[in-house]
C-alpha cells in the first residue's frame, strides 16, 4: 500500500543550518521516550539564531538548568516519578547544548557533560527503569555506557544488542533502539567510544580507525555478564557507527549479526572530499556552519587543517569488506544524506546479508530513521527477532 501524499515531511526545515536542523528533528523524535517535550523544544527553537553557536548553547542549557532545578525540588518533596521525568529531559538538553559547541577548552564542555550524565543516571534510579551505568575496561581507562536488562526475559540468559552511536549524538540518545530491544526480551548495551559523548569530552579520547580494538573490549565485557547468552550477541551501528561496526567484525567474528545504519564502505573518503572543498575557501568567507563542521572533525579526530584529510582517508573499508563474514543488515533511506552509499556497501558484501530501504511511505526515510524512530524500530526489531 502506498500513500498519495505529494509533499514529504523530510523536506521541512526547522533551520537552514543542516546540522542544527538534524539535531532538532532528533530531539523532537525523542518525545515518545519521555526524553523531550514539544513545548520545551519549540521554546528553545524560538531563541536560537541560525548557525549562532552561543545562542544554541544558551537556549538548550537554560532549558536544561530549569528542568534540573525543577527535578531537584520534586525529589526534595518526595515526588520521585516527577523528579525522574524532569531529570531525564534535562539530561537530553544538556547533551544537545554540546552538539553544536566548538570550543573544547570552554569549562562548560565538561560541566554540561557531567550534568547530563548525572541527570540521566538519577532519572534511572528514581524511575526504576531497568538500566544501570557501566564502565567498560578499555586499554588504560574505560568506556562509559549503560546496560539495560530486559524485564521480559524468559530464560536465565538472554540475547544482547550492542548499540554503537554516531559522530554527533551520544550513547544515551540511542534509547529508541535500546528501549525497543528490552521490550522484546533482548538485553541492550550502549556506550560512548573514542571520539563520542562522554569519552571525548571527559576523557579526551579521540576517534580511531581500528575500531576492532574498541568493540573487542566491549564484546569481552558483554560476554562476562551473567544475563547474556554469549552465542546471541549482535551489534547495531548508527550513522558513523554504521561504518565502524563493519570494520570491527572484519577482524572479530564473535557477533551473530550486525546492523549498519546506514551502510557506507568509504565514509572517510566521502567526508574528506567535502572538507577538501571547504579548506580551499578562505576562512574569512567560509559559511559559519562549514567552519564549525571543519573544526569539529579536527577536534574529534585529533587533527589539524593540514592533517585532517589524511586522517579521514584512513576510514575506508574497501580493502577489508571481503573479510566480513558476520550476517549483516544494511539500512538505507530515500532521503539519506549519503545517497547511494548504503547500496554500494551492500552489493560489495559477500557475507549473508539483507538490505532494508525506508522510503517516503515509511516516514522514516531520513538519516538513521530520524523523525521516524517508531517506524524504524518496528522493522529493525522484527529483523532482529528473526535473526537473534
Amino acid at each position: 500500500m502506498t500513500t498519495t501524499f505529494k509533499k514529504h515531511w523530510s523536506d521541512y526545515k526547522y533551520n537552514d543550518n543542516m546540522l542544527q536542523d538534524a539535531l532538532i528533528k532528533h530531539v523532537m523524535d525523542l518525545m515518545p521516550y519521555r526524553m523531550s517535550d514539544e513545548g520545551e523544544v519549540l521554546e528553545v527553537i524560538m531563541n536560537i539564531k541560525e548557525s549562532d553557536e552561543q545562542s544554541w548553547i544558551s537556549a538548550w542549557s537554560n532549558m536544561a538548568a530549569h528542568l534540573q532545578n525543577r527535578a531537584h525540588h520534586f525529589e526534595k518533596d518526595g515526588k520521585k516519578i516527577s523528579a525522574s521525568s524532569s531529570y531525564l529531559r534535562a539530561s537530553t538538553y544538556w547533551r544537545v547544548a554540546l552538539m553544536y559547541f566548538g570550543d573544547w577548552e570552554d569549562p562548560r564542555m565538561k560541566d554540561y557533560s557531567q550534568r547530563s550524565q548525572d541527570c540521566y543516571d538519577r532519572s534511572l534510579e528514581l524511575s526504576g527503569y531497568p538500566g544501570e551505568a557501566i564502565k567498560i575496561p578499555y586499554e588504560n581507562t574505560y568506556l562509559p555506557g549503560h546496560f539495560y536488562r530486559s524485564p521480559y526475559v524468559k530464560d536465565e540468559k538472554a540475547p544482547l544488542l550492542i548499540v554503537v552511536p554516531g559522530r554527533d549524538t551520544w550513547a544515551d540518545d540511542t534509547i529508541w533502539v535500546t528501549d525497543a530491544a528490552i521490550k522484546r526480551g533482548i538485553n541492550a548495551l550502549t556506550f560512548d567510544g573514542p571520539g563520542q559523548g562522554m569519552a571525548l569530552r571527559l576523557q579526551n579520547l579521540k576517534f580511531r580507525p581500528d575500531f576492532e580494538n574498541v568493540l573487542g573490549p566491549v564484546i569481552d565485557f558483554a560476554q562476562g555478564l551473567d544475563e547474556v547468552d554469549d552465542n546471541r550477541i549482535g551489534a547495531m551501528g548508527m550513522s558513523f557507527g554504521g561504518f565502524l561496526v563493519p570494520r570491527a567484525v572484519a577482524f572479530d567474528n564473535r557477533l551473530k549479526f550486525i546492523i549498519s545504519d546506514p551502510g557506507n564502505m568509504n565514509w572517510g573518503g566521502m567526508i574528506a572530499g567535502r572538507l577538501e572543498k571547504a579548506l580551499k575557501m578562505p576562512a574569512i568567507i567560509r559559511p559559519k556552519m562549514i567552519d564549525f563542521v571543519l573544526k569539529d572533525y579536527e577536534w574529534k579526530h585529533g587533527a589539524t587543517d593540514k592533517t585532517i584529510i589524511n586522517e579521514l582517508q584512513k576510514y575506508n573499508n574497501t580493502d577489508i569488506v571481503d573479510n566480513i563474514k558476520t550476517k549483516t543488515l544494511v539500512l538505507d533511506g530515500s532521503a539519506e544524506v549519503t545517497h547511494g552509499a548504503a547500496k554500494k556497501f551492500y552489493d560489495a558484501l559477500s557475507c549473508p546479508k539483507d538490505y532494508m530501504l525506508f522510503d517516503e511511505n515509511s516516514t522514516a526515510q531520513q538519516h538513521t530513521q530520524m523523525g521516524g524512530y517508531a517506524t524504524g524500530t518496528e522493522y529493525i526489531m522484527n529483523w532482529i527477532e528473526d535473526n537473534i
Side-chain angles (χ1 to χ4, degrees):
M1 180 178 179
T2 59
T3 64
T4 57
F5 295 122
K6 296 180 180 179
K7 295 183 178 180
H8 303 289
W9 82 271
S10 52
D11 295 327
Y12 180 80
K13 306 297 181 187
Y14 287 101
N15 193 316
D16 286 336
N17 180 304
M18 186 173 67
L19 178 56
Q20 290 185 345
D21 177 67
L23 292 172
I24 290 168
K25 289 174 178 174
H26 161 69
V27 179
M28 294 288 280
D29 210 18
L30 291 177
M31 290 179 195
Y33 311 96
R34 299 174 42 251
M35 294 181 73
S36 66
D37 205 18
E38 183 178 9
E40 294 164 357
V41 177
L42 293 176
E43 190 82 0
V44 169
I45 294 172
M46 294 286 290
N47 290 278
I48 293 174
K49 296 179 182 178
E50 184 179 303
S51 296
D52 184 86
E53 189 174 328
Q54 291 306 315
S55 73
W56 176 275
I57 297 167
S58 296
W60 289 109
S61 62
N62 285 343
M63 184 60 72
H66 174 65
L67 287 172
Q68 184 174 357
N69 184 58
R70 178 198 296 175
H72 174 74
H73 287 292
F74 283 157
E75 184 177 3
K76 190 175 180 181
D77 292 340
K79 309 302 183 185
K80 292 185 178 181
I81 301 303
S82 294
S84 171
S85 178
S86 287
Y87 276 130
L88 185 59
R89 301 198 309 282
S91 174
T92 298
Y93 304 147
W94 284 125
R95 286 194 308 280
V96 180
L98 296 175
M99 291 178 189
Y100 201 86
F101 194 133
D103 185 1
W104 46 91
E105 298 296 334
D106 190 314
R108 292 177 297 176
M109 180 75 76
K110 289 188 176 182
D111 180 29
Y112 292 1
S113 295
Q114 193 61 59
R115 284 172 179 262
S116 176
Q117 193 63 84
D118 291 346
C119 286
Y120 188 82
D121 288 341
R122 191 61 185 147
S123 175
L124 289 179
E125 292 169 9
L126 292 172
S127 68
Y129 191 86
E132 64 178 75
I134 55 174
K135 291 184 177 181
I136 301 168
Y138 168 74
E139 296 188 346
N140 61 344
T141 182
Y142 68 90
L143 302 177
H146 287 89
F147 175 60
Y148 302 94
R149 293 176 177 81
S150 171
Y152 303 102
V153 171
K154 298 178 181 179
D155 302 316
E156 183 177 337
K157 291 182 178 291
L160 174 73
L161 178 65
I162 298 172
V163 184
V164 180
R167 206 190 71 87
D168 299 308
T169 55
W170 304 30
D172 294 341
D173 293 290
T174 65
I175 188 78
W176 62 280
V177 178
T178 57
D179 186 72
I182 66 173
K183 287 177 178 176
R184 291 164 171 82
I186 301 168
N187 294 321
L189 183 156
T190 190
F191 66 97
D192 286 321
Q196 299 170 321
M198 300 292 175
L200 171 71
R201 292 165 178 84
L202 296 182
Q203 298 165 263
N204 200 34
L205 299 178
K206 306 298 177 66
F207 279 121
R208 55 187 294 181
D210 55 340
F211 197 68
E212 64 273 17
N213 291 314
V214 177
L215 191 60
V218 177
I219 298 173
D220 292 341
F221 179 87
Q223 290 182 331
L225 297 171
D226 293 337
E227 302 91 338
V228 172
D229 182 343
D230 293 354
N231 297 314
R232 293 195 292 164
I233 300 177
M236 179 175 178
M238 317 288 297
S239 192
F240 183 32
F243 167 85
L244 294 173
V245 170
R247 158 73 197 206
V249 298
F251 299 92
D252 189 332
N253 62 4
R254 287 180 289 171
L255 297 179
K256 188 167 184 180
F257 69 81
I258 63 167
I259 300 174
S260 178
D261 185 16
N264 194 317
M265 190 159 56
N266 186 11
W267 180 90
M270 177 189 68
I271 300 299
R274 294 174 182 175
L275 292 188
E276 273 187 305
K277 294 179 181 179
L279 284 168
K280 291 178 181 178
M281 299 173 63
I284 195 170
I285 65 170
R286 273 199 299 257
K288 287 184 178 181
M289 185 195 77
I290 293 177
D291 199 45
F292 171 85
V293 169
L294 179 61
K295 290 191 301 178
D296 196 56
Y297 273 97
E298 291 174 359
W299 169 45
K300 292 177 180 177
H301 288 271
T304 66
D305 282 6
K306 294 181 179 180
T307 64
I308 186 60
I309 301 303
N310 288 336
E311 185 62 30
L312 287 171
Q313 288 173 341
K314 297 175 184 177
Y315 295 84
N316 185 348
N317 286 340
T318 304
D319 292 339
I320 54 90
V321 68
D322 286 338
N323 295 346
I324 299 172
K325 306 302 180 187
T326 306
K327 185 165 188 178
T328 301
L329 171 63
V330 178
L331 301 182
D332 199 357
S334 57
E336 260 295 344
V337 292
T338 55
H339 183 71
K343 190 61 166 60
K344 183 177 181 180
F345 172 59
Y346 171 79
D347 290 341
L349 289 169
S350 58
C351 61
K353 59 184 180 178
D354 287 315
Y355 174 80
M356 187 181 296
L357 173 68
F358 290 95
D359 62 13
E360 282 80 2
N361 292 317
S362 72
T363 69
Q365 68 267 32
Q366 291 229 68
H367 185 61
T368 63
Q369 299 78 60
M370 180 178 57
Y373 289 158
T375 292
T377 55
E378 290 167 359
Y379 284 94
I380 294 166
M381 290 298 154
N382 286 350
W383 186 92
I384 292 176
E385 287 180 304
D386 291 340
N387 288 275
I388 198 69

